[in-house]
Amino acid sequence: MYAVVGATGNTGRAVVSELKRLGEHPICVVRNANKAREVLGADTKTAVAELDDRAGLEKALAGSKRVFIVTGHNPKSAEQQINVIDAAQAVGAAYVVKVSGGRDVTGPNVESVNGRAHYQIEEHLKTCGLQWCILSPGLFMQNIVGQAANIKNEGKIVQPWPKDLAVALIDVRDTGALGARVLRDPGKHAGKIYSFTGAATTYGQFADVIAEVLGKPITYQALTLEQAEHGMKARGMPDWLVAHLLEMARAGGKGAFSKENTQPIRDIVGRAPITTRQFVQDYKGAFS
């Protein structure tokens, strides 16, 4: 039996959806069963547990042999995901797949608290005795949905990323498609780390694609890191999240998310990654 921990987030939803398309019926470990059924479908199997509750996690994961972990960023994510791994092992699971960060922003000494957490979780997973696989997707196309109000109301995208910087974006649905297949086949994928992206582009080109699909002008405004920091703090964002987003932009400016690697999607999913144009067409309602 399969379990997906973090099933109601963007990537978790994509994994659950793909598993269902492949004929599986995973247990979705969530905090709110009603919300889970709203976003994942009324037929979704759910188990309620808090990530800090080891006994609750063991109960929720009971009977699961393969566990997919993709929980949201927060200052406690290392403790929480290690709790999930240990609970999975305690109830007899054999294989864990974790969505991690990019290879250039994950490590013991990176600036981002989330990058350090990913490293800590990965090291625990590799040495806990379970079979494992780690996924390192590129930056998500879906992050641009956070610009929806600017796009709709002002016809612009405002970010601390240079307009012409190469970025290899990935649709979360591709991560879900790859993740579901990796979860189903530990014989092929256990012990591997997969870094993967969609086709490289730039945010300026992404803005042009959005403009073409929407049929209206969209301008791209690159903020300085100082301007971005001021804006995020003014909106009441917590300090840890501001620091994380600034570190991602800083690392991105040095090329951390520029390298294209579409081959894992092609090899494992059996098709090319979703393009930015397809993404915008599918999410057109969010921007118009």
Side-chain angles (χ1 to χ4, degrees), residues 13-61:
R13 294 183 199 186
V15 172
V16 172
S17 177
E18 193 70 17
L19 283 170
K20 288 182 176 181
R21 273 195 288 270
L22 294 170
E24 309 294 355
H25 301 281
I27 294 291
C28 298
V29 181
V30 297
R31 287 179 293 182
N32 185 314
N34 290 331
K35 177 188 174 183
R37 283 188 284 270
E38 285 177 12
V39 301
L40 297 171
D43 62 338
T44 301
K45 298 179 180 179
T46 62
V48 176
E50 294 289 339
L51 299 178
D52 301 306
D53 179 3
R54 171 67 178 273
L57 284 169
E58 290 185 12
K59 181 178 179 181
L61 293 171

Side-chain angles (χ1 to χ4, degrees), residues 171-192:
D171 192 301
V172 297
R173 293 171 293 180
D174 284 336
T175 304
L178 184 145
R181 287 163 175 79
V182 165
L183 187 67
R184 294 177 82 220
D185 197 348
K188 283 186 179 179
H189 305 295
K192 295 182 180 179

Side-chain angles (χ1 to χ4, degrees), residues 56-132:
L57 284 169
E58 290 185 12
K59 181 178 179 181
L61 293 171
S64 298
K65 297 302 181 184
R66 301 174 188 174
V67 179
F68 195 98
I69 304 175
V70 57
T71 61
H73 289 157
N74 72 80
K76 297 173 64 179
S77 60
E79 174 187 335
Q80 290 175 341
Q81 289 198 12
I82 288 171
N83 210 28
V84 175
I85 293 166
D86 291 347
Q89 188 170 29
V91 299
Y95 179 48
V96 171
V97 178
K98 169 186 162 46
V99 176
S100 194
R103 294 298 87 195
D104 288 344
V105 292
T106 297
N109 301 311
V110 298
E111 289 187 37
S112 168
V113 63
N114 294 309
R116 296 193 300 273
H118 280 312
Y119 174 81
Q120 185 179 349
I121 298 159
E122 288 183 12
E123 291 304 296
H124 183 78
L125 182 56
K126 291 174 185 176
T127 59
C128 71
L130 295 173
Q131 289 184 300
W132 55 269

Side-chain angles (χ1 to χ4, degrees), residues 140-202:
F140 292 128
M141 293 180 193
Q142 277 75 5
N143 291 343
I144 206 71
V145 175
Q147 295 282 325
N150 281 334
I151 292 169
K152 284 191 287 188
N153 302 328
E154 301 182 52
K156 66 181 182 181
I157 296 170
V158 183
Q159 294 189 145
W161 293 77
K163 179 179 180 179
D164 297 322
L165 174 74
V167 285
L169 306 172
I170 187 82
D171 192 301
V172 297
R173 293 171 293 180
D174 284 336
T175 304
L178 184 145
R181 287 163 175 79
V182 165
L183 187 67
R184 294 177 82 220
D185 197 348
K188 283 186 179 179
H189 305 295
K192 295 182 180 179
I193 299 176
Y194 290 114
S195 295
F196 55 94
T197 73
T201 184
T202 69

